Amino acid sequence: MDNLIKSTLSLLFIGFSLSGIAQNKTSVTPQPSADAPQISKHIYGHFAEHLGRCIYGGFYVGEDSEIPNLDGVRKDIIAALKEMKIPNLRWPGGCFADTYHWKDGVGDKSARPTIVNQWWGGVTEDNSFGTHDFLNLCEALETEPYISGNIGSGTVREFAEWIQYVNHNGVSPMADLRRKNGREKPWNVRFWGLGNEAWGCGGNMTAEFYSNLYRQYATYMTDWSNTSDLYRVASGASDGNYNWTEVLMKNIPGKLIEAVALHSYSVIDWGNKSSATEFSDTEYFQTMQRAFKMDEYITKHTAIMDRYDPNKKIDLIVDEWGGWYDVEPGTNPGFLYQQNTMRDAMIAGMTLNIFNNHAERVKMANLAQTVNVLQAVILTEGEKLILTPTYHVLKMYAVHKDAQLIPLKYEAPLFTKNGESLPAISLSASKGKNNKTNISLVNIDDTQSHTIAIELSKLNVKNFKATILTSKSLQDHNDFDNPEVVTPKPFKKIKVKNGAAIIELPPFSVVVVEAD
Ligand code: AHR
């Protein structure tokens, strides 16, 4: 047994375990419990940074564009995101956040200063997409805004004034400025990040220095309505930097913090990320190994948080995750534009199952990024727009939002490549407020199908409706000439036999079942 498997086995709770015996039939025992946590809808959140063509040339084409738009934002993007019921949107970064000075992006657009985007391609931006544009977009999307504030190069005053600008209903300098700029009512933004990747692009700080700075900034944050409703997120660790979480949990008093973040990207090797579309079987396996590490990271960061916060008052939020590959040939390396294949659907399905199964501590997550950057759900080219395989997974999984987790017990068969193994299947289940039982199943094994037998005795269901996302090849993707190569289809291969629902999962497929 290799180390990966050993460490996974030692961390198991109800969810899955690895058996040493390869098999292609798996029995699953649902363990519904009144004490099981709710799967926060915010686990299905998104992230839009001033990076490449995410905002400018993606979401935002400007009011004068011939592409149909609402105040400069593409109407087709708004419609697609509403269709997937996007619960929150993080903005303006990422690394960009700690260079952003919000006052540059309000008021008369023609009078706004420019900024050079130092992290992403060195391009000059005209600040035409600012606070009003973002918050009005969130209203149009019916989604909650999550603003990442500037700790790295900003000031406490600038941060506090931003909150006053967007949240204060009374008479105050910033609320008056907001009214002068055309917005009477506050937007009441709840989610605020205090910096981003403070250990790196957010200021290269030590955990000790950042936690002191965090305390200072958090002290002057108020929602300006005396409801103390702000949700303050500390810039978190990357991957397995457990010391970062330990120091934050030790140094930041509970009254000043609602959540600690975590960033983790599925990248094979920063020096050799692989092509987004032309990858080998080995590279596919390596990407899935990397994505599966999310379970270990969450488990270990949670164990640290449990020691300081046993009543789980502070949430863990994974506010950046997704696959990261080489940019598409011929595109700006600083723009992080990559295609999206069935490999990405596998990452999304497996990662969302991990988040669901950790719903007790993980209350929010943000896929990086929404449009034209990294594991995007939408790609655009001129007036054309395509939905990626990842989009379809997110939409299929929408049934889990705010549903109650149903823990599952099973032993996953192994998916083995070059002598290393991963669990071939991943599952999560929930009971929705509509009384339907939802089960999402992923088979990451690209070599064989796996049969799953879900015991029905505790589920009280007899009608099944299911959708599948799969394709002929792992490398399949949608492009601007062929936008529907990978699309969800109805899935009929569910039989009920001996008190169990028998589901045959084809190689590299995602299936979501709704039953009542
Ligand atoms: O999502 C791209 C970048 O990845 C973000 O700006 C940064 O936070 C992370 O390193």
Side-chain angles (χ1 to χ4, degrees):
M1 216 181 261
D2 63 34
N3 285 340
L4 168 73
I5 295 176
K6 272 195 212 137
S7 62
T8 304
L9 274 173
S10 65
L11 292 167
L12 286 173
F13 71 114
I14 286 179
F16 59 78
S17 67
L18 296 168
S19 74
I21 311 154
Q23 54 182 39
N24 65 0
K25 178 158 183 188
T26 304
S27 294
V28 178
T29 313
Q31 311 213 306
S33 152
D35 296 334
Q38 192 183 46
I39 297 172
S40 166
K41 68 177 177 181
H42 290 294
I43 282 178
Y44 293 83
H46 291 265
F47 170 34
E49 180 166 12
H50 288 229
L51 194 178
R53 292 188 302 115
C54 184
I55 297 292
Y56 296 108
F59 271 101
Y60 189 72
V61 288
E63 287 154 38
D64 300 332
S65 171
E66 285 178 3
I67 299 171
N69 66 80
L70 178 70
D71 300 329
V73 177
R74 290 178 72 131
K75 285 187 174 167
D76 51 2
I77 291 185
I78 293 176
L81 294 178
K82 279 185 88 166
E83 183 77 27
M84 79 194 301
K85 300 195 176 84
I86 174 176
N88 68 67
L89 186 60
R90 178 174 182 246
W91 173 86
C95 294
F96 180 80
D98 283 292
T99 64
Y100 186 62
H101 300 282
W102 68 270
K103 283 187 187 163
D104 292 348
V106 296
D108 179 4
K109 291 199 178 189
S110 65
R112 294 184 191 175
T114 55
I115 177 178
V116 175
N117 192 329
Q118 73 176 82
W119 295 112
W120 307 117
V123 291
T124 302
E125 302 187 4
D126 64 4
N127 269 308
S128 52
F129 188 91
T131 299
H132 289 246
D133 306 85
F134 172 65
L135 295 176
N136 291 344
L137 165 63
C138 289
E139 283 187 343
L141 290 170
E142 295 168 20
T143 198
E144 273 209 61
Y146 168 16
I147 294 183
S148 276
N150 180 347
I151 300 276
S153 69
T155 63
V156 177
R157 177 177 178 173
E158 181 183 8
F159 199 118
E161 285 186 340
W162 202 0
I163 302 171
Q164 188 183 79
Y165 187 87
V166 301
N167 281 0
H168 191 208
N169 206 8
V171 174
S172 67
M174 292 303 113
D176 292 348
L177 180 61
R178 181 191 71 232
R179 290 188 192 98
K180 185 167 154 255
N181 289 334
R183 170 79 185 199
E184 176 57 38
K185 284 200 300 189
W187 289 277
N188 296 323
V189 177
R190 194 159 59 108
F191 299 132
W192 292 87
L194 285 80
N196 169 78
E197 297 193 351
W199 40 264
C201 63
N204 281 311
M205 301 174 198
T206 61
E208 288 76 11
F209 182 83
Y210 172 72
S211 47
N212 279 338
L213 206 55
Y214 177 99
R215 292 163 63 125
Q216 185 189 1
Y217 273 74
T219 302
Y220 298 100
M221 288 174 73
T222 161
D223 62 4
W224 304 96
S225 61
N226 298 322
T227 59
S228 299
D229 209 15
L230 293 184
Y231 186 93
R232 294 158 296 185
V233 182
S235 166
S238 174
D239 298 335
N241 182 353
Y242 302 112
N243 179 59
W244 187 271
T245 301
E246 178 92 39
V247 173
L248 263 48
M249 291 301 296
K250 190 166 31 174
N251 290 357
I252 301 174
K255 64 178 184 187
L256 290 180
I257 184 167
E258 280 69 41
V260 171
L262 168 66
H263 288 182
S264 184
Y265 285 98
S266 302
V267 59
I268 296 173
D269 171 353
W270 289 105
N272 177 23
K273 298 197 278 296
S274 96
S275 155
T277 51
E278 291 168 26
F279 51 88
S280 65
D281 285 359
T282 299
E283 286 170 328
Y284 168 63
F285 188 81
Q286 289 170 332
T287 305
M288 298 320 294
Q289 278 181 313
R290 197 58 192 75
F292 181 60
K293 291 284 274 182
M294 183 67 86
D295 190 71
E296 178 187 325
Y297 295 143
I298 292 176
T299 304
K300 290 185 176 173
H301 284 289
T302 296
I304 294 165
M305 295 177 76
D306 284 349
R307 277 196 276 112
Y308 293 93
D309 174 36
N311 295 325
K312 299 192 191 299
K313 295 216 160 94
I314 301 171
D315 302 334
L316 179 63
I317 72 166
V318 188
D319 57 10
E320 288 187 29
W321 67 274
W324 192 321
Y325 317 114
D326 291 334
V327 298
E328 289 306 308
T331 64
N332 187 328
F335 281 14
L336 309 186
Y337 176 69
Q338 65 190 39
Q339 250 295 355
N340 196 293
T341 66
M342 278 304 299
R343 170 169 64 170
D344 296 277
M346 296 295 99
I347 296 175
M350 184 169 82
T351 307
L352 292 170
N353 282 340
I354 292 171
F355 293 156
N356 286 348
N357 287 323
H358 284 280
E360 203 171 16
R361 184 68 87 167
V362 177
K363 300 292 181 188
M364 190 195 287
N366 304 79
L367 176 62
Q369 298 192 4
T370 320
V371 180
N372 293 333
V373 170
L374 298 176
Q375 192 174 340
V377 291
I378 291 170
L379 301 177
T380 65
E381 187 180 270
E383 60 181 15
K384 293 184 184 168
L385 171 148
I386 53 174
L387 305 175
T388 65
T390 301
Y391 175 94
H392 296 303
V393 175
L394 270 284
K395 193 172 159 201
M396 286 161 68
Y397 273 58
V399 291
H400 288 302
K401 288 177 187 170
D402 286 342
Q404 187 177 33
L405 181 74
I406 302 177
L408 303 173
K409 200 164 175 213
Y410 62 97
E411 293 198 353
L414 298 182
F415 169 34
T416 302
K417 190 131 315 182
N418 303 329
E420 298 194 25
S421 297
L422 282 171
I425 59 165
S426 107
L427 308 180
S428 66
S430 66
K431 180 115 180 189
K433 294 196 174 119
N434 57 4
N435 239 9
K436 288 196 177 165
T437 297
N438 317 300
I439 308 167
S440 43
L441 310 94
V442 183
N443 176 13
I444 63 166
D445 188 342
D446 62 332
T447 62
Q448 61 178 323
S449 57
H450 289 278
T451 305
I452 319 288
I454 300 173
E455 270 181 40
L456 296 177
S457 56
K458 294 195 182 141
L459 291 185
N460 192 25
V461 294
K462 46 182 188 303
N463 305 306
F464 300 87
K465 193 175 141 226
T467 308
I468 185 166
L469 191 75
T470 189
S471 195
K472 289 203 184 92
S473 137
L474 260 177
Q475 287 76 11
D476 280 352
H477 55 276
N478 300 329
D479 65 25
F480 296 98
D481 297 323
N482 302 288
E484 302 214 332
V485 175
V486 184
T487 52
K489 310 262 175 341
F491 180 71
K492 307 275 182 211
K493 288 189 184 162
I494 303 179
K495 284 182 277 177
V496 176
K497 204 173 157 191
N498 300 332
I502 315 291
I503 301 173
E504 198 190 319
L505 280 180
F508 60 93
S509 62
V510 181
V511 169
V512 175
V513 181
E514 279 181 85
D516 59 10

